Amino acid sequence: MPLVKSGAIVADDYLHVADGDAIAEGAVLLPAARFLVDPEGVLKRNSKVGVIWPNSRNIAELAPWLDRVAAVALVFPTFRDGRAYSQARLLRERYGFRGELRATGQVLRDQFVFMLRSGFDAFEVKKDSDAAAFTEVARRYSVVYQPTGDGRATAAARRLSRQNAEARS
């Protein structure tokens, strides 16, 4: 499954570990239930640890370990279920998570802008052609009007900043 980061298809550094499988060396993405059994033990490894977090689980349960988790993969089980958008914003805005925030599951190209605005920075897509479309969409929208978890300045903030700079000169 192609992984899109920073507008390009990249190799996935993380090995997805299923329930019951041994945790391999290197960067791993663990299911939430497995991670929560022994989070301190898992985080003692010398490799990056990511967590696959279902949209039905409260993101606050993960908060105590967010400063040591390298990635959180939020799941979109169907295109009609947007709970992962709320989880993404909570991670970025309330908990200040700065690691990789990955969208997985039903990641559709027409929802890509909304995912970017919610704070996602990595996307597991179904086809290589989706990755190319995501890159084009990210370039297409250069101005935003509402503040969100992606940290981009809004049009009003940019305008005010420009006016203040002009007033000082």
Side-chain angles (χ1 to χ4, degrees), residues 109 112-113 116 132-143 152:
R109 61 175 66 182
F112 182 59
V113 172
L116 281 173
F134 284 0
T135 301
E136 175 57 29
V137 167
R139 275 192 234 130
R140 184 178 309 155
Y141 299 100
S142 61
V143 177
R152 293 171 58 186

Short mmCIF file of all heavy atoms in Angstrom, two decimals, residues 109 112-113 116 132-143 152:
data_model
loop_
_atom_site.label_atom_id
_atom_site.label_comp_id
_atom_site.label_asym_id
_atom_site.label_seq_id
_atom_site.Cartn_x
_atom_site.Cartn_y
_atom_site.Cartn_z
N ARG A 109 -9.30 10.39 -2.08
CA ARG A 109 -8.68 11.62 -2.59
C ARG A 109 -9.55 12.85 -2.39
O ARG A 109 -9.04 13.93 -2.22
CB ARG A 109 -8.28 11.46 -4.05
CG ARG A 109 -9.40 11.17 -4.99
CD ARG A 109 -8.98 11.14 -6.44
NE ARG A 109 -8.07 10.03 -6.77
CZ ARG A 109 -7.56 9.83 -7.95
NH1 ARG A 109 -7.83 10.65 -8.93
NH2 ARG A 109 -6.78 8.81 -8.18
N PHE A 112 -8.83 14.42 1.04
CA PHE A 112 -7.44 14.67 1.34
C PHE A 112 -7.19 16.05 1.94
O PHE A 112 -6.46 16.19 2.91
CB PHE A 112 -6.61 14.49 0.07
CG PHE A 112 -5.15 14.67 0.28
CD1 PHE A 112 -4.45 13.88 1.17
CD2 PHE A 112 -4.46 15.64 -0.41
CE1 PHE A 112 -3.10 14.04 1.37
CE2 PHE A 112 -3.10 15.81 -0.22
CZ PHE A 112 -2.42 15.01 0.67
N VAL A 113 -7.81 17.09 1.40
CA VAL A 113 -7.61 18.44 1.93
C VAL A 113 -8.07 18.52 3.38
O VAL A 113 -7.40 19.11 4.22
CB VAL A 113 -8.35 19.48 1.06
CG1 VAL A 113 -8.31 20.86 1.72
CG2 VAL A 113 -7.74 19.55 -0.31
N LEU A 116 -5.47 16.93 5.58
CA LEU A 116 -4.32 17.82 5.77
C LEU A 116 -4.64 18.90 6.78
O LEU A 116 -3.84 19.19 7.68
CB LEU A 116 -3.95 18.49 4.44
CG LEU A 116 -3.15 17.69 3.44
CD1 LEU A 116 -3.04 18.46 2.14
CD2 LEU A 116 -1.78 17.36 3.98
N ALA A 132 -0.47 10.53 -6.55
CA ALA A 132 -0.24 11.67 -7.45
C ALA A 132 -1.35 12.71 -7.30
O ALA A 132 -1.09 13.91 -7.30
CB ALA A 132 -0.15 11.17 -8.88
N ALA A 133 -2.57 12.25 -7.15
CA ALA A 133 -3.70 13.17 -6.99
C ALA A 133 -3.58 13.93 -5.67
O ALA A 133 -3.87 15.13 -5.60
CB ALA A 133 -5.01 12.41 -7.03
N PHE A 134 -3.14 13.28 -4.62
CA PHE A 134 -2.96 13.94 -3.33
C PHE A 134 -1.93 15.05 -3.43
O PHE A 134 -2.11 16.14 -2.88
CB PHE A 134 -2.50 12.94 -2.27
CG PHE A 134 -3.59 12.05 -1.78
CD1 PHE A 134 -4.89 12.12 -2.24
CD2 PHE A 134 -3.31 11.09 -0.82
CE1 PHE A 134 -5.88 11.29 -1.79
CE2 PHE A 134 -4.30 10.25 -0.34
CZ PHE A 134 -5.58 10.35 -0.83
N THR A 135 -0.87 14.80 -4.14
CA THR A 135 0.17 15.81 -4.31
C THR A 135 -0.38 17.03 -5.02
O THR A 135 -0.13 18.17 -4.62
CB THR A 135 1.35 15.21 -5.10
OG1 THR A 135 1.85 14.09 -4.38
CG2 THR A 135 2.45 16.23 -5.29
N GLU A 136 -1.16 16.81 -6.05
CA GLU A 136 -1.75 17.92 -6.80
C GLU A 136 -2.72 18.72 -5.92
O GLU A 136 -2.73 19.95 -5.94
CB GLU A 136 -2.46 17.39 -8.05
CG GLU A 136 -3.20 18.44 -8.83
CD GLU A 136 -2.32 19.60 -9.29
OE1 GLU A 136 -1.12 19.39 -9.50
OE2 GLU A 136 -2.85 20.72 -9.42
N VAL A 137 -3.53 18.04 -5.16
CA VAL A 137 -4.50 18.71 -4.28
C VAL A 137 -3.77 19.56 -3.24
O VAL A 137 -4.17 20.69 -2.96
CB VAL A 137 -5.43 17.69 -3.60
CG1 VAL A 137 -6.21 18.31 -2.47
CG2 VAL A 137 -6.37 17.08 -4.62
N ALA A 138 -2.71 19.06 -2.69
CA ALA A 138 -1.97 19.80 -1.66
C ALA A 138 -1.39 21.09 -2.23
O ALA A 138 -1.33 22.10 -1.53
CB ALA A 138 -0.85 18.93 -1.09
N ARG A 139 -1.00 21.08 -3.47
CA ARG A 139 -0.45 22.29 -4.10
C ARG A 139 -1.56 23.26 -4.51
O ARG A 139 -1.34 24.46 -4.54
CB ARG A 139 0.35 21.90 -5.35
CG ARG A 139 1.74 21.53 -5.01
CD ARG A 139 2.60 21.43 -6.25
NE ARG A 139 3.19 20.11 -6.20
CZ ARG A 139 3.21 19.23 -7.18
NH1 ARG A 139 2.69 19.52 -8.33
NH2 ARG A 139 3.75 18.06 -7.03
N ARG A 140 -2.71 22.75 -4.83
CA ARG A 140 -3.80 23.57 -5.37
C ARG A 140 -4.32 24.60 -4.37
O ARG A 140 -4.63 25.72 -4.73
CB ARG A 140 -4.95 22.67 -5.82
CG ARG A 140 -6.08 23.44 -6.48
CD ARG A 140 -7.19 22.54 -6.95
NE ARG A 140 -6.67 21.45 -7.77
CZ ARG A 140 -7.27 20.29 -7.91
NH1 ARG A 140 -8.40 20.04 -7.31
NH2 ARG A 140 -6.75 19.35 -8.66
N TYR A 141 -4.41 24.25 -3.11
CA TYR A 141 -5.01 25.13 -2.11
C TYR A 141 -3.92 25.80 -1.29
O TYR A 141 -3.37 25.21 -0.37
CB TYR A 141 -5.97 24.35 -1.22
CG TYR A 141 -7.10 23.76 -2.01
CD1 TYR A 141 -7.09 22.42 -2.37
CD2 TYR A 141 -8.16 24.55 -2.43
CE1 TYR A 141 -8.12 21.87 -3.11
CE2 TYR A 141 -9.19 24.01 -3.17
CZ TYR A 141 -9.16 22.68 -3.51
OH TYR A 141 -10.18 22.16 -4.24
N SER A 142 -3.60 27.04 -1.62
CA SER A 142 -2.51 27.73 -0.95
C SER A 142 -3.00 28.71 0.12
O SER A 142 -2.21 29.19 0.93
CB SER A 142 -1.66 28.48 -1.97
OG SER A 142 -2.45 29.43 -2.65
N VAL A 143 -4.28 29.02 0.14
CA VAL A 143 -4.83 29.97 1.11
C VAL A 143 -5.93 29.26 1.89
O VAL A 143 -6.79 28.60 1.30
CB VAL A 143 -5.40 31.22 0.41
CG1 VAL A 143 -6.04 32.17 1.42
CG2 VAL A 143 -4.31 31.92 -0.39
N ARG A 152 -1.17 26.15 9.56
CA ARG A 152 -1.03 27.14 8.50
C ARG A 152 -1.72 28.44 8.91
O ARG A 152 -2.78 28.44 9.54
CB ARG A 152 -1.65 26.63 7.20
CG ARG A 152 -0.88 25.44 6.64
CD ARG A 152 -1.57 24.80 5.50
NE ARG A 152 -1.81 25.74 4.40
CZ ARG A 152 -2.51 25.42 3.33
NH1 ARG A 152 -3.03 24.21 3.20
NH2 ARG A 152 -2.70 26.29 2.38
#
